[in-house]
Amino acid sequence: MASTEGLVPITRAFLASYYDKYPFPPLSDDVSRLSSDIASLIQLLTLQSPPSQGEASLIDEANRQPPHKIDENMWKNREQMEEILFLLQPSRWPLQLREPSTSEDAEFSSMLRHVKANIDNALTAMISFQTKNSERVFSTVMTYMPQDFRGTLIRQQKERSERNKQAEVDALVSSGGSIRDTYALLWKQQMERRRQLAQLGSATGVYKTLVKYLVGVPQVLLDFIRQINDDDGPMEEQRERYGPPLYSLTKMVTAIRVFLTLLWERYDTFKLNKEQMNLLSEAAIVYTSEFERFVTFISDVFANSPFFISADTAGILGSRENEEYKEIIVQAGRTYEVSLMVESENSYIGWDFSLMQGKISMDIGFSVEYISASGEKTVSVLFSFQTVFKRIIHYISFFKISIQIVILKGDYEFSHCS
């Protein structure tokens, strides 16, 4: 288990200086030129025959601004590539292309096979990037987790959770779900992962104590997952730096998909000339080349980007303040009292204690009182050390069951003892 002593989560300011070392070479000017040309072809097709309701919806999507999040754009590109590959299956081609009777149709059929091969390669690169990035993040997180049975349980839970998610996708596909339906589900699953991590990072009270102590999740990691996706957090710097070129590629691949969709429905009456055929081929080549270049670049940036930095690097002087945790040494024969504000009766309070070596037989008592706003004392509980010790043993036994419940709710397994 890697030490997190003296570390704090990356900050937006740190990422800004880090990203200064990794400027993305601008996209080829061909991206904007070809995107504009494809948009003109789409307009020609709609003039040839007014779009259906479904086609109009696709055109509206192509005209909208792409999503703001980097990962959502990645999923959107992957979805559009799969839609294009579906359209480029020979069985989906217009009859004239499946059984070409002219040299122009034969040439276009050959060109479409090359387009399909390029998109196939780009999709493979996309899937590889997402898989490796997910594995890298999880592996990095696990280096800060206990390297014992708890770490093993977390890994097993992640594998089980991902199998369940894949089974959900497989069931949708088997029942006739469309590519759009499939990717809507995949993105929903991704947002659920993010929501669960955000809840974990923002945990309070007894659940936070469970996460930190029984499972061993370090505080710095909880801080990281709580703030990483804040509106003005570290990831916003990433979006500002690398979002614009990705947004352009998202719009380009969406336009290619819309163009093919409209063309297939109008191929009987709208024949592409040589220049228009070449335009489609060039657009596919430029898109896949630039997209693979972007994915290779961003993969290297992510692989070298740290999760944590030293407090000094972050410009933080001294130790971090934590208003929820306080440590005190109580001498023998003394009483120490702490007053806490709680939301209501039945709120949870957690404490840890340790004994100096050789003093295990020392008599220790814990008293908890609840005093209402009117001053009425409504709760008074006293534990002897022996009782507390048995209670902790009982908690450990209980949380073996509780872990299974937590597992069913999330991608990772976090629990703990107070």
Side-chain angles (χ1 to χ4, degrees):
M1 177 176 175
S3 173
T4 59
E5 184 176 356
L7 298 181
V8 296
I10 53 173
T11 63
R12 181 169 182 177
F14 173 82
L15 274 188
S17 63
Y18 171 76
Y19 289 153
D20 283 342
K21 305 173 187 175
Y22 295 91
F24 178 69
L27 293 175
S28 166
D29 291 339
D30 291 335
V31 171
S32 58
R33 174 180 65 82
L34 290 166
S35 294
S36 177
D37 289 343
I38 293 290
S40 296
L41 283 179
I42 291 174
Q43 187 174 16
L44 278 177
L45 288 167
T46 57
L47 291 174
Q48 176 74 19
S49 176
S52 65
Q53 184 176 354
E55 291 172 340
S57 178
L58 288 179
I59 293 171
D60 288 342
E61 180 180 352
N63 290 333
R64 288 197 296 267
Q65 287 300 312
H68 186 56
K69 295 181 175 65
I70 295 289
D71 55 347
E72 188 172 1
N73 273 272
M74 290 294 191
W75 282 108
K76 183 59 67 176
N77 276 264
R78 182 171 166 178
E79 176 187 351
Q80 299 300 331
M81 282 189 270
E82 287 221 29
E83 293 281 10
I84 291 171
L85 290 174
F86 176 75
L87 291 168
L88 291 180
Q89 294 175 14
S91 62
R92 311 294 304 181
W93 294 357
L95 179 61
Q96 298 94 318
L97 296 177
R98 295 200 304 270
E99 301 174 5
S101 58
T102 66
S103 59
E104 290 82 3
D105 284 340
E107 183 179 0
F108 192 34
S109 296
S110 176
M111 185 181 295
L112 289 175
R113 290 186 175 89
H114 289 294
V115 170
K116 183 177 184 299
N118 286 328
I119 299 293
D120 259 325
N121 291 336
L123 179 61
T124 299
M126 170 81 265
I127 294 173
S128 175
F129 163 77
Q130 289 181 315
T131 301
K132 290 180 180 178
N133 191 56
S134 177
E135 291 173 349
R136 180 189 65 83
V137 171
F138 183 70
S139 177
T140 301
V141 168
M142 289 305 296
T143 63
Y144 298 99
M145 299 295 292
Q147 304 301 304
D148 53 20
F149 75 95
R150 292 171 292 181
T152 300
L153 288 173
I154 291 172
R155 290 182 185 278
Q156 290 174 346
Q157 162 54 18
K158 180 179 185 295
E159 292 169 0
R160 181 165 48 249
S161 176
E162 292 305 315
R163 284 197 302 270
N164 290 339
K165 284 182 170 59
Q166 185 59 50
E168 189 178 9
V169 172
D170 292 342
L172 175 63
V173 173
S174 298
S175 65
S178 65
I179 293 174
R180 187 182 190 88
D181 294 336
T182 300
Y183 277 89
L185 174 59
L186 287 169
W187 181 243
K188 177 183 176 183
Q189 291 176 343
Q190 180 71 0
M191 292 304 291
E192 179 66 15
R193 293 184 186 98
R194 181 174 295 178
R195 184 187 64 80
Q196 290 168 348
L197 284 176
Q199 286 180 341
L200 178 66
S202 301
T204 58
V206 70
Y207 181 54
K208 181 175 182 178
T209 308
L210 290 173
V211 169
K212 287 177 62 177
Y213 294 101
L214 185 57
V215 179
V217 182
Q219 180 62 47
V220 68
L221 185 54
L222 293 175
D223 293 341
F224 172 80
I225 60 181
R226 184 186 71 250
Q227 71 183 49
I228 190 64
N229 283 302
D230 286 350
D231 289 343
D232 195 38
M235 291 301 97
E236 186 60 26
E237 185 66 31
Q238 182 186 103
R239 296 172 194 126
E240 286 194 5
R241 295 289 183 112
Y242 305 125
L246 182 57
Y247 303 155
S248 295
L249 292 170
T250 302
K251 288 188 70 68
M252 187 178 192
V253 71
T254 303
I256 293 172
R257 182 265 179 106
V258 172
F259 171 67
L260 283 173
T261 300
L262 296 178
L263 179 62
W264 276 190
E265 293 299 321
R266 294 160 178 78
Y267 198 79
D268 287 341
T269 57
F270 187 94
K271 292 292 185 180
L272 293 180
N273 59 38
K274 181 76 170 180
E275 183 180 352
Q276 292 167 334
M277 290 182 190
N278 289 335
L279 193 155
L280 173 61
S281 176
E282 186 183 5
I285 291 172
V286 169
Y287 166 74
T288 54
S289 173
E290 290 295 274
F291 184 78
E292 289 181 48
R293 181 169 72 89
F294 178 84
V295 166
T296 300
F297 169 85
I298 208 72
S299 180
D300 291 339
V301 173
F302 289 177
N304 295 312
S305 180
F307 279 18
F308 309 117
I309 54 177
S310 70
D312 290 339
T313 301
I316 299 175
L317 300 178
S319 302
R320 290 180 298 138
E321 295 291 334
N322 189 332
E323 298 178 355
E324 296 183 358
Y325 180 79
K326 187 173 184 178
E327 182 175 332
I328 190 74
I329 297 176
V330 181
Q331 300 297 330
R334 300 293 181 87
T335 298
Y336 181 74
E337 182 176 308
V338 178
S339 297
L340 301 172
M341 294 294 293
V342 295
E343 294 181 0
S344 64
E345 189 175 341
N346 296 323
S347 295
Y348 286 94
I349 299 173
W351 67 85
D352 301 304
F353 69 93
S354 61
L355 299 174
M356 295 180 63
Q357 189 173 4
K359 302 295 185 180
I360 191 69
S361 61
M362 184 180 295
D363 182 27
I364 300 175
F366 294 88
S367 177
V368 181
E369 297 179 344
Y370 174 71
I371 303 175
S372 67
S374 63
E376 181 183 1
K377 188 181 298 183
T378 57
V379 178
S380 180
V381 183
L382 178 66
F383 299 111
S384 68
F385 170 75
Q386 185 178 13
T387 303
V388 172
F389 183 76
K390 288 180 179 179
R391 187 174 181 81
I392 291 175
I393 296 299
H394 170 70
Y395 278 177
I396 292 174
S397 175
F398 167 75
F399 284 123
K400 286 180 181 178
I401 300 172
S402 176
I403 284 174
Q404 300 304 317
I405 297 173
V406 175
I407 283 174
L408 293 175
K409 294 182 178 178
D411 292 328
Y412 303 97
E413 169 184 359
F414 298 102
S415 56
H416 109 172
C417 174
S418 62

